[in-house]
Amino acid sequence: MTTASTVVNDAAYSVTDVRHTYGTGTHALQDVSIELPRGSVTSLIGPSGCGKSTLLNILSGLLRPSEGHVEIFGRELDGPPVEVSHMFQKATLLPWRTVLENVLLPLELRDGKKAARKQKSKARELLKMVGIADFEAGYPHQLSGGMAQRAAICRMLVTEPQILLLDEPFGALDELTRERMDTELLRIVRDTGATAVLVTHSIPESVFLSDVVYAMSARPGRITRAIEVDLPHPRGEHTLADPRYLELINTVRQALDEGYRRGAHT
Amino acid sequence: MTTASTVVNDAAYSVTDVRHTYGTGTHALQDVSIELPRGSVTSLIGPSGCGKSTLLNILSGLLRPSEGHVEIFGRELDGPPVEVSHMFQKATLLPWRTVLENVLLPLELRDGKKAARKQKSKARELLKMVGIADFEAGYPHQLSGGMAQRAAICRMLVTEPQILLLDEPFGALDELTRERMDTELLRIVRDTGATAVLVTHSIPESVFLSDVVYAMSARPGRITRAIEVDLPHPRGEHTLADPRYLELINTVRQALDEGYRRGAHT
Amino acid sequence: MVLTRSQPTQARTRRRPTEGRRGLLARMPSWAPVLISIAVFLAAWQLLVTFGGISQLVLPSPLSVAEQVVIVTQQLFVGGFLAGQLWITVQEILLGFVLAVVVGVIVGIVVGLTSFGRRGIMPLFVLLDATPKIAFAPVFIAWFGFGIASKFLMAAFMSIFPIIVSTAQGVAAVEPDELKLFQSMKASRWDIFWKLRVHRALPYLFTGLKIAVVACLTGAVAAEFIGGGIGFGEQVRVAAARIALDRVFALIFFLSLLGLALFMSVAWLEKRLTFWNVRS
Amino acid sequence: MVLTRSQPTQARTRRRPTEGRRGLLARMPSWAPVLISIAVFLAAWQLLVTFGGISQLVLPSPLSVAEQVVIVTQQLFVGGFLAGQLWITVQEILLGFVLAVVVGVIVGIVVGLTSFGRRGIMPLFVLLDATPKIAFAPVFIAWFGFGIASKFLMAAFMSIFPIIVSTAQGVAAVEPDELKLFQSMKASRWDIFWKLRVHRALPYLFTGLKIAVVACLTGAVAAEFIGGGIGFGEQVRVAAARIALDRVFALIFFLSLLGLALFMSVAWLEKRLTFWNVRS
Amino acid sequence: AEEAEQQDGAEGSAAAGGLTELSVAAVSTSCLQFFPLYVAQEQGLFEENGLDVQVERMNGSAAVLQAMLAGQTDLGTPGPVPTILTQAQGEDIRYIANLWPGGAFALVTPEESGVADASELTGKTIGVATADGSEVSFAHTIMAAEGLEESDYEILTVGEGGQAVAAFQRGDIDAYAASIDGVAIIEHAGIPLSNITGDATGYLFGNGLAAPAELIESDPESLEAFGNAYRQGLEMAIDDRQLVTDACAAVQPQEVEDPTYVEAHLDALIPSLERTDGEPWGSMSQEHWEMILQDAVDMGEVEEGEVEVDNLYTNDLVDGFNS
Ligand SMILES: Nc1ncnc2c1ncn2[C@@H]1O[C@H](COP(=O)(O)OP(=O)(O)OP(=O)(O)O)[C@@H](O)[C@H]1O
Ligand SMILES: Nc1ncnc2c1ncn2[C@@H]1O[C@H](COP(=O)(O)OP(=O)(O)OP(=O)(O)O)[C@@H](O)[C@H]1O
Ligand SMILES: Cc1ncc(C[n+]2csc(CCO)c2C)c(N)n1
Ligand SMILES: [Mg+2]
Ligand SMILES: [Mg+2]
């Protein structure tokens, strides 16, 4: 997989020998090198505190790694790039804006208020797609956790990003709602051809959604295993009954358990 | 299972025709009748807002049902009974008390400060058992979520309750930590011969822990299915690989999905 | 009693089911308890004066105060001298408050957003805020004269510190998650300020404003007290000098109403502008 | 610059990575910025007096104020008259504060824990708090005489309302989860009060106390100002009456130090008693 | 008298050492303004007269009168007008001695303004030290004597000391009506003033000693003893001004830090405290009281007939003051 780094290659991201140590001395990441093909869905899974969010923050340009470097579409990463939308565990909707205004926020910041206003119909479409069109004029405190998370998805998608970075996006939802959101998300990603990186704690979720699952060890986080998920597309309820699905879940669990045991997690 | 209600029977709880409507008009529970044998572990599972916590609050004597009645060890329930310990989704440790002082709180409230002080060694034993003995002099804000939840378990157990009511006790933990806590809890319950009622959102957890899983429908909550879990004891890591385990998970999922579809959940 | 059958009224006190003895009180309209306690207070006062053998010049009876309230009200409605004095004080308070808000918010933003401000200037303001600012009243009079200027500047001086401190706290107290969100969306510092910090600062600011508006009234009255010359506070002093204590109380009553009106206006504005700030 | 290589100093300002231009300022010891801004302030003041042609009777120069500060300090150390006056004011403040805390906390608990208190009495306190309490100073003198009593009562009156309001808020603001926990453990009302409400009320109470301690100083000084006779505030008035503005400023400086010391004491106590109250 | 003393136990009970306790409240916190009181205290003149006196300092006549009514003090030194107002409200507090026979107030203008006569103040602003009415009626009396209506000039309350200086410097006032010691302070600050008081206010005596009628009834001996000591204090201080500095050093040291400040005060005050009309110290004339009461009626402060002149004062104790 070695390519001359000056040549534009087909990867959305290519991460080489990244390490990160925080100012506090916490050694969060160690020797991470991964390549994420365009249009792929990748999951990062590992024990709490192993550096998953750190890695995602590095990919989003919010954090510069202590060592190593990151390329996005073949160019050196340097600050948050326009192609990327980042979604966090909490929906983080601004409570003083209506749902619609929240969804329009990234456009407003990028193109100004006027331009954003013109895109209302697009935002409305997204809200309709995730099933909360009726709430566009409501305020976040009137939404349930699942509804807020859906609004955050719309906000993430409204700029038509080529890359989606998702940090435990559905961690706060109950299992059944979560499964539905997973399915929806997968459909959107496939439809738009975007590249997605997902951080999750749920083994079944990682398998269900991804092309590759990277298992990480406890701090300092390193990638211990890469599990290719060869489940056929499109995936859906039938996938859950697929014996290969359960098999892969067990594979990931074992990979994780090793990393878990090796770490210092209490 | 009909016994004359005046005769003391073998059930820890017997719940007859319980309905509950809140002051706001929310109709939370509808026609719930269940019998919980001594020493059994029972799970309640169902969509968010279906009345699981309401039912648990009724069992704990914190809430009097609008209709129907509840017997505990054959006598009419009337206020929080001494035999019961209730554990909530959040650890809710008092931040101004050390871990040890938090564990001793129920004893202090029941028997006074002096008596509680004499039981320190017992509290320390419990802390040792869950693996946080080193933190007894620490304050809650120094603990991770998992450690706090373990302290809450010690607090629950320190009064040697005959009945444990657990409302999503590990909902805030990551999957692997949660599995470990589940195993620990199960061992404790079996060792002490206590009766336990567990509310959970996780289907695998409910199957892993229980003798019976009650699936509930969306609001107004009613019990739609009772699934007997015939997995052998003791359960442990090997259980997760048992095909019967996966089968039961699917059974519960289906039961739940029916109730889910029938409800008005968004 | 821990167990209580849930009833419609219970929703209100959901947080304390053990304290739910709901009797007469719960069924009263919400203004009734206030009126009852006012009535009890006034009755006790009247009894004290009537049977306590206290001189009217030391503690006037509520009845004679009420009489003076009526007289003052009439004078205010006629729009003569007293109305003019009240208007002067109102002007002092409003000018002082507006000045304090404008300067205080600007200074607060500068102090709160810069490291030097937080570390170098904030402690000075804490020091200044800990001075009994009323001691500066004669200085203000000497500098700014006997007209409205010295009074509204004094009012502004008395009320500006809570505004500075709360603004500085507010603009610094952004939610880290929201800041990260804005950064990930490549927001400019300008946008982060106007679309994020300003909103998050408002609840803090209003806490400061509610303290400030009362301090502003106190400042104007204190300046009139010490500086003399004009205004409603000065009328209180004149009445006190004439040993007309019933008039003193009646005038203070109007000042309280003024204070309450200002406080309520700020509270109303707070409710409107921070409607979204529901405790989660 | 959004991207910054993380460095040891960054930990402190983790929340605002975009503002991380760390230069000279970050490397200064923490007292340096305060001293710098004080120095700049004093220099500007001296220049204004020297070149602004302002009479010393209106704005004394910092140098002459400094001279007076030295003189007053000497007098205080000798322990003569001025030390006695300072001690009187300190007594007034301490007595007033203790009284306000004792009465305010008790009233606050009663008001905060009863439905009648919250609905019937609280609005009255809001009304009273909105009065310019300084207008009552002459009345307090008339009732309680010229001694220390009228002054410390005035100080207590000025500072009691924030204590009542914050205590009432505090005891009512229990976490529902914790209340439920206590109820499930069959705790008595007594235990719920002492082992839960009291702790949860402390952070609120201290917010009130920090406002109150400054108000208490103001109250004592204002009472001395208006009531006359005794104390350090009265000395300010005497100095003002004899047109010794440099002395006025020097005395105010000592009152500020006193205020700061009181404020710091309360803040220190807060840190000790609510050490557990870390923002989560 | 013994029976009466038992009835009114609050006032003047016999203390250890046979001294009678008595408290007095001055209407000003200034020591220099009431120096006879403090000299008497410092020189032990009260003890010599069988009294144990407690001196309090307050701001203004109203506060002192209220303190007397509330039983906080036995004696006070209010002005005549506030005393009239108190009687109008049904409380019986009376003058027993005139402390300022020469008048309390002066109307002044800055020397540099060239105004030498009150008649030149038409259309101008007169500053007054307090709003308590005394200076205001004082100013009105002077202006009325010049034939000026109240609408011909403005009155502005500016306070004392530095505030008055600021008022002159800012041009906010053209003349200033204040107590004579207040005027002395301003002159001492370096602003030369011309006194344009004239003689229209000759009948306006200043503050006096006042007491509740019951006390005058029940214990006149103690009050006589008090006045006697006060008079002796005044006379000793006139003979030896250093006594004033000594007495005030213990009470209000700020006022005596600067000897020239003390001199300026005494130069201004002593002439108005000394009796120059040959009448015994402390005595009051019916005629002057009637004129002052008439002024109060004319100003609308009290109704005609609401207060009787005979109730306002008594000269019964004057012999005792001068024994
Ligand atoms: N800004 C920071 N400064 C210092 N240390 C940090 C910072 N952010 C994270 N850390 C530490 O770095 C380590 C990795 O944190 P990170 O948030 O990347 O873990 P994670 O895998 O996302 O964990 P979780 O599953 O709990 O979200 C942890 O030990 C954490 O405490
Ligand atoms: N104290 C209350 N007053 C009024 N309505 C309530 C109260 N508590 C709960 N409810 C409502 O009753 C219904 C059942 O609530 P409950 O908390 O029992 O659900 P749950 O099954 O525990 O949900 P979750 O899984 O989200 O915890 C919900 O609609 C809820 O909004
Ligand atoms: C605070 C204060 N109140 C009243 C007066 C009035 N006064 C009291 S004694 C006196 C001297 C002659 O009577 C005068 C004018 C004052 N000066 N200061
Ligand atoms: Mg993370
Ligand atoms: Mg629940």
Side-chain angles (χ1 to χ4, degrees):
Chain A
M1 271 227 205
T2 346
T3 54
S5 69
T6 47
V7 173
V8 175
N9 64 22
D10 200 41
Y13 272 113
S14 98
V15 175
T16 322
D17 298 332
V18 156
R19 304 182 46 158
H20 192 75
T21 307
Y22 279 105
T24 51
T26 308
H27 189 175
L29 283 180
Q30 171 92 343
D31 301 327
V32 172
S33 297
I34 44 177
E35 190 111 343
L36 310 180
R38 280 178 202 244
S40 66
V41 177
T42 309
S43 285
L44 299 174
I45 193 164
S48 182
C50 75
K52 305 180 293 294
S53 297
T54 304
L55 183 52
L56 222 61
N57 284 337
I58 288 171
L59 293 180
S60 75
L62 286 172
L63 192 71
R64 190 203 282 268
S66 319
E67 277 176 44
H69 62 112
V70 179
E71 282 177 13
I72 177 169
F73 294 129
R75 64 175 206 276
E76 189 75 26
L77 183 69
D78 167 29
V82 281
E83 298 96 336
V84 171
S85 260
H86 197 141
M87 186 170 163
F88 305 94
Q89 171 159 17
K90 282 161 63 189
T92 317
L93 300 177
L94 303 180
W96 52 86
R97 285 175 167 248
T98 62
V99 170
L100 186 65
E101 286 164 356
N102 264 291
V103 172
L104 287 171
L105 180 66
L107 290 175
E108 201 178 309
L109 293 176
R110 196 184 63 188
D111 308 325
K113 213 162 192 157
K114 231 172 168 175
R117 220 175 292 137
K118 284 191 193 131
Q119 304 264 35
K120 271 190 184 172
S121 61
K122 186 168 156 198
R124 288 208 177 94
E125 238 164 69
L126 286 166
L127 288 171
K128 208 158 145 193
M129 185 185 77
V130 302
I132 54 170
D134 293 349
F135 292 88
E136 67 160 76
Y139 284 89
H141 66 85
Q142 298 163 334
L143 306 184
S144 75
M147 282 152 66
Q149 210 63 22
R150 282 178 231 195
I153 292 181
C154 296
R155 182 182 59 196
M156 171 178 68
L157 294 175
V158 78
T159 53
E160 299 179 353
Q162 292 170 259
I163 296 179
L164 305 177
L165 302 177
L166 303 142
D167 197 347
E168 305 187 48
F170 308 127
L173 306 184
D174 75 77
E175 193 153 301
L176 288 168
T177 312
R178 185 172 178 157
E179 279 175 13
R180 302 188 155 203
M181 300 295 293
D182 282 346
T183 315
E184 243 166 48
L185 180 70
L186 198 59
R187 192 176 52 71
I188 292 162
V189 171
R190 297 292 165 198
D191 283 4
T192 60
T195 309
V197 184
L198 171 78
V199 166
T200 180
H201 270 127
S202 163
I203 301 168
E205 185 177 67
S206 72
V207 172
F208 181 80
L209 290 174
S210 324
D211 299 313
V212 184
V213 175
Y214 287 107
M216 293 177 70
S217 70
R219 207 176 40 193
R222 57 181 94 215
I223 305 227
T224 49
R225 286 274 298 275
I227 296 121
E228 301 259 348
V229 179
D230 48 10
L231 294 169
H233 288 283
R235 299 176 191 165
E237 215 144 318
H238 60 279
T239 310
L240 305 180
D242 189 330
R244 178 71 186 137
Y245 171 62
L246 298 173
E247 213 173 288
L248 281 162
I249 287 181
N250 263 328
T251 312
V252 173
R253 178 186 308 283
Q254 274 159 25
L256 217 49
D257 236 12
E258 286 159 25
Y260 201 86
R261 292 219 182 88
R262 276 193 2 223
H265 185 81
T266 40
Chain B
M1 271 228 202
T2 349
T3 54
S5 68
T6 47
V7 173
V8 175
N9 64 24
D10 202 40
Y13 272 113
S14 100
V15 176
T16 321
D17 299 330
V18 157
R19 306 182 46 157
H20 193 75
T21 308
Y22 279 104
T24 50
T26 309
H27 189 173
L29 283 180
Q30 171 92 344
D31 301 328
V32 172
S33 297
I34 44 176
E35 190 112 342
L36 310 179
R38 279 178 202 243
S40 65
V41 177
T42 308
S43 286
L44 300 173
I45 194 163
S48 183
C50 75
K52 305 181 292 295
S53 298
T54 303
L55 182 52
L56 224 60
N57 283 336
I58 288 172
L59 293 180
S60 75
L62 286 172
L63 191 72
R64 191 204 282 271
S66 320
E67 278 176 43
H69 60 113
V70 179
E71 282 178 12
I72 177 168
F73 294 127
R75 63 174 206 275
E76 189 75 27
L77 183 69
D78 168 28
V82 282
E83 298 95 337
V84 172
S85 262
H86 197 141
M87 185 168 164
F88 305 94
Q89 172 159 17
K90 282 162 62 189
T92 316
L93 300 177
L94 304 180
W96 52 87
R97 285 175 167 247
T98 63
V99 170
L100 185 65
E101 286 164 357
N102 264 291
V103 172
L104 287 171
L105 180 66
L107 290 176
E108 202 179 310
L109 294 176
R110 197 183 64 186
D111 309 326
K113 212 162 195 161
K114 230 172 167 174
R117 219 174 294 137
K118 285 192 193 132
Q119 304 264 35
K120 270 190 185 172
S121 61
K122 187 168 157 196
R124 288 208 176 95
E125 237 163 71
L126 286 166
L127 288 171
K128 207 159 149 192
M129 185 184 78
V130 301
I132 53 171
D134 293 350
F135 292 87
E136 67 159 75
Y139 283 90
H141 66 85
Q142 298 163 336
L143 305 185
S144 75
M147 282 153 64
Q149 211 62 22
R150 282 178 231 195
I153 291 180
C154 296
R155 182 180 60 195
M156 171 179 71
L157 294 175
V158 78
T159 53
E160 300 180 352
Q162 292 170 260
I163 297 179
L164 305 176
L165 303 178
L166 302 143
D167 197 345
E168 306 187 46
F170 309 126
L173 306 184
D174 74 77
E175 194 154 298
L176 287 168
T177 311
R178 186 173 177 155
E179 278 175 14
R180 302 189 155 203
M181 301 294 293
D182 281 347
T183 316
E184 240 166 51
L185 179 70
L186 198 59
R187 193 177 52 71
I188 292 162
V189 170
R190 296 294 165 197
D191 283 3
T192 60
T195 310
V197 184
L198 172 79
V199 166
T200 181
H201 269 127
S202 163
I203 300 169
E205 183 177 68
S206 72
V207 172
F208 181 80
L209 289 175
S210 322
D211 300 312
V212 186
V213 175
Y214 287 107
M216 294 177 70
S217 69
R219 208 177 35 187
R222 58 180 94 214
I223 307 235
T224 49
R225 286 275 298 277
I227 296 120
E228 301 259 347
V229 179
D230 47 11
L231 294 169
H233 289 282
R235 298 175 190 165
E237 215 145 317
H238 61 277
T239 311
L240 305 179
D242 189 330
R244 179 69 187 138
Y245 171 63
L246 300 173
E247 211 173 290
L248 281 163
I249 286 180
N250 264 330
T251 312
V252 174
R253 178 186 307 285
Q254 274 159 26
L256 218 49
D257 235 13
E258 286 160 26
Y260 201 87
R261 290 216 183 90
R262 277 192 1 222
H265 185 81
T266 40
Chain C
M1 264 294 283
V2 174
L3 276 179
T4 44
R5 243 169 229 289
S6 43
Q7 281 159 14
T9 48
Q10 212 186 347
R12 233 192 212 140
T13 47
R14 228 175 85 188
R15 289 175 154 217
R16 52 189 82 245
T18 55
E19 291 167 24
R21 210 156 40 79
R22 336 249 69 242
L24 195 64
L25 197 63
R27 276 175 278 131
M28 285 195 282
S30 69
W31 44 261
V34 185
L35 287 196
I36 290 173
S37 53
I38 290 180
V40 168
F41 174 73
L42 291 180
W45 176 6
Q46 180 70 51
L47 286 177
L48 185 71
V49 174
T50 312
F51 298 105
I54 297 174
S55 163
Q56 279 267 345
L57 302 191
V58 174
L59 178 62
S61 74
L63 287 177
S64 63
V65 172
E67 204 179 306
Q68 288 296 326
V69 168
V70 171
I71 293 173
V72 171
T73 309
Q74 283 168 345
Q75 291 190 17
L76 286 175
F77 270 98
V78 172
F81 176 77
L82 213 50
Q85 298 295 304
L86 182 60
W87 175 230
I88 287 172
T89 301
V90 169
Q91 275 179 294
E92 287 165 7
I93 294 168
L94 294 183
L95 285 171
F97 194 60
V98 169
L99 183 70
V101 171
V102 170
V103 177
V105 166
I106 292 173
V107 173
I109 289 170
V110 172
V111 168
L113 284 187
T114 62
S115 167
F116 187 85
R118 284 191 304 273
R119 296 173 58 208
I121 303 179
M122 201 66 171
L124 280 195
F125 284 134
V126 173
L127 179 77
L128 268 175
D129 194 26
T131 59
K133 287 168 280 298
I134 193 166
F136 281 98
V139 178
F140 270 76
I141 311 277
W143 289 349
F144 303 106
F146 304 86
I148 241 175
S150 61
K151 274 88 176 183
F152 85 72
L153 288 170
M154 182 75 198
F157 180 62
M158 293 272 279
S159 53
I160 201 170
F161 296 101
I163 298 178
I164 292 176
V165 172
S166 61
T167 306
Q169 273 188 349
V171 293
V174 75
E175 300 272 319
D177 285 346
E178 289 172 358
L179 190 61
K180 218 169 125 188
L181 176 75
F182 270 71
Q183 283 166 358
S184 81
M185 295 189 298
K186 297 156 279 293
S188 63
R189 286 193 76 162
W190 184 254
D191 276 338
I192 289 177
F193 182 77
W194 283 109
K195 300 191 170 163
L196 178 56
R197 285 190 195 278
V198 163
H199 293 274
R200 280 289 165 204
L202 276 183
Y204 288 83
L205 176 61
F206 272 104
T207 306
L209 288 185
K210 281 190 287 187
I211 297 171
V213 77
V214 174
C216 190
L217 176 59
T218 303
V221 172
E224 289 179 1
F225 245 65
I226 290 156
I230 47 170
F232 213 77
E234 163 70 4
Q235 295 308 308
V236 176
R237 216 177 65 94
V238 171
R242 294 187 51 235
I243 330 180
L245 219 57
D246 46 4
R247 173 62 66 94
V248 170
F249 274 64
L251 293 172
I252 289 179
F253 174 73
F254 281 92
L255 284 174
S256 312
L257 285 189
L258 184 57
L260 197 66
L262 291 167
F263 183 87
M264 295 299 212
S265 312
V266 173
W268 176 83
L269 202 66
E270 176 182 27
K271 225 174 191 164
R272 291 219 32 168
L273 289 185
T274 64
F275 66 94
W276 48 269
N277 191 33
V278 280
R279 261 263 235 130
S280 56
Chain D
M1 264 290 284
V2 172
L3 275 179
T4 44
R5 248 175 223 286
S6 42
Q7 280 158 14
T9 48
Q10 212 186 347
R12 236 191 213 140
T13 47
R14 228 173 86 187
R15 288 174 156 219
R16 55 189 81 247
T18 54
E19 288 168 25
R21 208 155 43 78
R22 336 251 66 242
L24 196 65
L25 196 63
R27 277 175 279 130
M28 283 195 282
S30 69
W31 43 263
V34 185
L35 287 196
I36 290 173
S37 53
I38 289 181
V40 168
F41 174 72
L42 291 180
W45 177 5
Q46 181 70 53
L47 287 177
L48 185 71
V49 174
T50 312
F51 300 104
I54 297 176
S55 158
Q56 280 264 348
L57 299 183
V58 173
L59 178 61
S61 75
L63 287 177
S64 63
V65 171
E67 204 180 305
Q68 289 295 327
V69 167
V70 171
I71 293 173
V72 171
T73 309
Q74 282 168 345
Q75 289 190 17
L76 286 175
F77 269 98
V78 172
F81 178 79
L82 212 52
Q85 298 297 303
L86 183 60
W87 175 231
I88 287 173
T89 302
V90 170
Q91 276 179 296
E92 287 165 5
I93 294 167
L94 294 184
L95 285 172
F97 193 61
V98 168
L99 183 70
V101 171
V102 170
V103 177
V105 166
I106 291 174
V107 172
I109 288 171
V110 172
V111 167
L113 285 186
T114 61
S115 166
F116 187 84
R118 285 190 303 273
R119 297 171 61 208
I121 303 180
M122 200 66 170
L124 280 194
F125 283 133
V126 173
L127 178 77
L128 269 175
D129 195 24
T131 58
K133 287 168 280 296
I134 193 163
F136 280 98
V139 177
F140 269 75
I141 312 290
W143 290 349
F144 304 108
F146 11 72
I148 238 175
S150 62
K151 275 87 178 179
F152 86 71
L153 288 170
M154 183 74 199
F157 181 62
M158 293 273 279
S159 53
I160 200 169
F161 295 101
I163 299 178
I164 292 175
V165 172
S166 60
T167 305
Q169 273 188 349
V171 293
V174 74
E175 300 273 320
D177 285 347
E178 290 172 356
L179 190 60
K180 218 170 125 188
L181 176 73
F182 270 72
Q183 284 165 358
S184 81
M185 297 190 295
K186 297 156 281 291
S188 62
R189 289 194 74 162
W190 184 256
D191 276 336
I192 289 178
F193 182 76
W194 283 108
K195 299 191 171 165
L196 178 57
R197 285 190 193 278
V198 163
H199 294 274
R200 280 288 164 203
L202 276 183
Y204 288 83
L205 176 61
F206 271 103
T207 306
L209 288 185
K210 280 190 286 189
I211 297 171
V213 78
V214 174
C216 190
L217 175 58
T218 303
V221 171
E224 289 178 2
F225 243 66
I226 289 156
I230 48 169
F232 214 76
E234 160 69 7
Q235 294 306 308
V236 177
R237 215 184 64 90
V238 171
R242 30 177 222 113
I243 327 185
L245 262 196
D246 45 5
R247 174 64 63 88
V248 170
F249 275 66
L251 292 173
I252 289 178
F253 173 73
F254 281 92
L255 283 175
S256 312
L257 286 188
L258 183 57
L260 198 66
L262 291 168
F263 183 87
M264 295 299 212
S265 311
V266 173
W268 175 84
L269 202 66
E270 177 181 28
K271 224 173 191 167
R272 291 218 34 165
L273 290 185
T274 64
F275 66 94
W276 49 268
N277 192 32
V278 281
R279 261 262 236 133
S280 56
Chain E
E2 240 183 307
E3 261 179 42
E5 234 185 271
Q6 272 167 4
Q7 263 177 346
D8 299 282
E11 295 109 12
S13 59
L19 297 179
T20 303
E21 286 182 4
L22 208 57
S23 58
V24 60
V27 295
S28 160
T29 65
S30 163
C31 174
L32 291 176
Q33 194 174 7
F34 280 94
F35 68 84
L37 193 54
Y38 299 98
V39 170
Q41 179 90 315
E42 177 77 6
Q43 296 300 313
L45 303 178
F46 289 126
E47 281 87 346
E48 282 173 22
N49 283 276
L51 299 175
D52 174 13
V53 171
Q54 171 74 27
V55 182
E56 305 290 356
R57 288 174 296 282
M58 306 189 75
N59 278 328
S61 297
V64 165
L65 287 161
Q66 284 174 316
M68 288 165 80
L69 292 171
Q72 307 274 7
T73 182
D74 300 318
L75 281 164
T77 66
V81 175
T83 308
I84 291 171
L85 288 172
T86 306
Q87 287 218 355
Q89 295 186 64
E91 301 287 351
D92 203 353
I93 286 179
R94 301 179 182 203
Y95 256 49
I96 57 170
N98 179 359
L99 298 179
W100 257 274
F105 302 104
L107 181 65
V108 295
T109 54
E111 232 174 54
E112 59 177 21
S113 74
V115 176
D117 195 276
S119 62
E120 294 171 46
L121 291 175
T122 310
K124 306 272 176 155
T125 301
I126 301 171
V128 292
T130 66
D132 101 351
S134 306
E135 291 98 326
V136 178
S137 49
F138 172 78
H140 283 325
T141 304
I142 295 172
M143 300 303 275
E146 298 290 339
L148 293 173
E149 302 278 318
E150 281 182 40
S151 55
D152 293 336
Y153 52 93
E154 298 246 5
I155 298 278
L156 176 66
T157 310
V158 296
E160 357 169 67
Q163 293 181 200
V165 172
F168 274 131
Q169 286 182 342
R170 299 170 48 84
D172 288 338
I173 57 173
D174 304 290
Y176 182 52
S179 61
I180 40 191
D181 59 311
V183 170
I185 292 171
I186 297 172
E187 271 200 296
H188 183 258
I191 299 182
L193 299 171
S194 312
N195 190 330
I196 59 166
T197 307
D199 44 20
T201 53
Y203 66 94
L204 278 178
F205 55 86
N207 289 29
L209 263 186
E214 313 98 75
L215 181 59
I216 301 172
E217 179 94 1
S218 65
D219 192 10
E221 295 82 9
S222 295
L223 299 180
E224 286 171 352
F226 183 91
N228 204 16
Y230 191 102
R231 176 187 56 77
Q232 289 166 3
L234 171 63
E235 287 166 3
M236 281 177 76
I238 291 172
D239 289 343
D240 180 3
R241 290 187 171 193
Q242 181 58 35
L243 294 181
V244 175
T245 305
D246 294 346
C248 288
V251 184
Q252 205 62 282
Q254 281 201 67
E255 287 191 322
V256 291
E257 274 174 18
D258 177 359
T260 64
Y261 182 84
V262 179
E263 277 306 299
H265 263 77
L266 297 182
D267 286 345
L269 277 169
I270 288 173
S272 66
L273 296 173
E274 277 183 315
R275 204 77 205 204
T276 52
D277 56 3
E279 295 292 323
W281 183 88
S283 69
M284 294 158 275
S285 87
Q286 174 92 7
E287 183 196 356
H288 288 177
W289 266 114
E290 275 171 359
M291 291 170 76
I292 291 174
L293 181 56
Q294 191 56 47
D295 282 349
V297 172
D298 293 346
M299 297 266 300
E301 306 256 31
V302 292
E303 307 270 323
E304 180 92 57
E306 204 178 351
V307 175
E308 294 293 331
V309 170
D310 290 341
N311 292 337
L312 280 169
Y313 75 102
T314 174
N315 276 331
D316 291 353
L317 308 181
V318 169
D319 288 345
F321 297 153
N322 295 283
S323 59

